[in-house]
Amino acid sequence: MTDRQTLAPDAATIEALARDAIARLPDVFRAHLGDVILCVEDLAEDDVLAELGIDDPFELTGIYAGRPIGDKSVSDFATLPDRIHLYRRALLDEWIETGVSLEALVTHVLIHEVGHHFGLSDADMHALEQAAG
């Protein structure tokens, strides 16, 4: 983004920020993210919101869809690939409300979802975020 930005950051910009955050993760984590699909969408689908009991789509900035690495088995078959969904409009709304930089916000949400992929605790996610900072 530039100082002269006049339009809201698009999905490609959000994805680039997320990929930059992934690139800053320690090698031990990056090595296990190659098969995880990163999706940037405007807002979560209604069925996702209903499953989570969320009424306002602007309350969900990201979600991990898949099984944590520690729960996977070689006998698993015909499963969908793991995905990290980032929701652009919800992220932009939080960005405006909090004043946190968009890069920091996207990094925070991405690392939280990566943490779910690895089955990490909140404390572990915080440490990972510090390492990627």
Side-chain angles (χ1 to χ4, degrees):
M1 291 186 326
T2 68
D3 291 337
R4 300 181 65 99
Q5 178 98 20
T6 58
L7 301 174
D10 60 10
T13 301
I14 302 295
E15 182 175 343
L17 291 171
R19 294 208 181 277
D20 286 346
I22 290 170
R24 293 190 309 272
L25 292 173
D27 291 341
V28 67
F29 290 99
R30 278 197 333 265
H32 298 283
L33 292 173
D35 293 336
V36 177
I37 297 170
L38 179 62
C39 305
V40 179
E41 301 157 359
D42 270 353
L43 292 168
E45 298 285 334
D46 290 339
D47 59 330
V48 171
L49 296 169
E51 184 177 323
L52 296 171
I54 298 173
D55 294 325
D56 182 356
F58 286 91
E59 291 180 16
L60 185 62
T61 55
I63 192 168
Y64 170 72
R67 290 182 58 194
I69 287 178
D71 293 348
K72 293 185 182 210
S73 167
V74 293
S75 63
D76 290 344
F77 62 94
T79 59
L80 293 173
D82 296 337
R83 296 175 185 265
I84 293 174
H85 296 266
L86 299 178
Y87 300 113
R88 183 185 76 90
R89 291 191 52 211
L91 284 164
L92 295 178
D93 205 48
E94 187 170 329
W95 174 46
I96 290 166
E97 288 178 4
T98 64
V100 172
S101 76
L102 186 56
E103 178 181 18
L105 180 59
V106 169
T107 297
H108 173 76
V109 173
L110 176 87
I111 287 175
H112 186 85
E113 303 317 327
V114 165
H116 289 301
H117 176 65
F118 288 101
L120 300 178
S121 68
D122 284 341
D124 291 335
M125 288 182 214
H126 180 72
L128 182 57
E129 188 170 0
Q130 294 300 318

